[in-house]
Amino acid sequence: MDNNVTLYGASGHCKVIIDILNSRSIAIDAIIDDNPKVASLLQYSVVKTENFDFTKIKNMIISIGNNQVRKDISNKLKVHFSKAIHLTSIISKEVTIGYGTVVMAGAIINSGVVIGNHCIINSGAIVEHDCVLNDFVQISPKATLAGNISIGEGTQIGIGATIIQGINIGKWAMIGAGAIIIKDIPDYAVVVGNPGRIIKYNFENE
């Protein structure tokens, strides 16, 4: 990981990333936000993006939980993106993690997993062997992915959801909290329940 990082987005999610960076003694150069609701976050001042000199950025993490917003911002900026991985996470040496991705405390990521760019692996999430997570995916706290699962771009897996082995989940889908997924899920589907059932489709990310 890089030694100095600028965080884009003064949110609760940003606080968690600050904790990760502090645990690894990584300096935070600045926190910026398009429309800051606070003047400071923890001990750090928050700067409005229109007042920030982007030429000063060495490395950046987009500290915003919304998957679509992270994608929009990443497409606009031509900067180097860092990653942040908590010291208490357990990650196999045979894992690939893309730039801009953050891994929270207590997450477990096992051998053969490939994680794309600007993903979020939340606290206590489990990603088993040979899973593939595409860009902007978010795995919520305590969600469990069994082996050989594929998850498309921008999909969110809710808190405590469980996905059995070998499942393919499409892009920009939403898997509800506690859902149990036992069959493939198409693009844009919103899924809840045990077993998971599609209740609607969300095409706003098309």
Side-chain angles (χ1 to χ4, degrees), residues 82-198:
S82 290
K83 62 188 77 171
I85 299 173
H86 200 281
L87 282 170
T88 65
S89 61
I90 300 172
I91 302 175
S92 166
K93 293 180 180 178
E94 304 302 323
V95 167
T96 300
I97 298 176
Y99 59 79
T101 288
V102 294
V103 180
M104 308 309 192
I108 299 173
I109 307 174
N110 280 321
S111 184
V113 170
V114 177
I115 299 174
N117 304 321
H118 302 288
C119 293
I120 299 171
I121 312 300
N122 260 297
S123 307
I126 297 173
V127 183
E128 276 296 345
H129 65 89
D130 301 305
C131 288
V132 176
L133 281 56
N134 284 279
D135 298 346
F136 311 106
V137 162
Q138 181 169 175
I139 309 300
S140 296
K142 297 293 184 179
T144 301
L145 279 59
N148 292 290
I149 291 168
S150 174
I151 299 181
E153 179 187 272
T155 284
Q156 181 150 348
I157 308 299
I159 292 173
T162 300
I163 306 172
I164 69 167
Q165 68 274 8
I167 294 295
N168 294 313
I169 296 179
K171 62 184 178 180
W172 299 103
M174 171 69 74
I175 308 300
I180 308 296
I181 306 303
I182 60 173
K183 62 181 181 180
D184 291 353
I185 301 298
D187 297 345
Y188 309 111
V190 178
V191 181
V192 300
N194 176 14
R197 67 188 188 280
I198 299 171

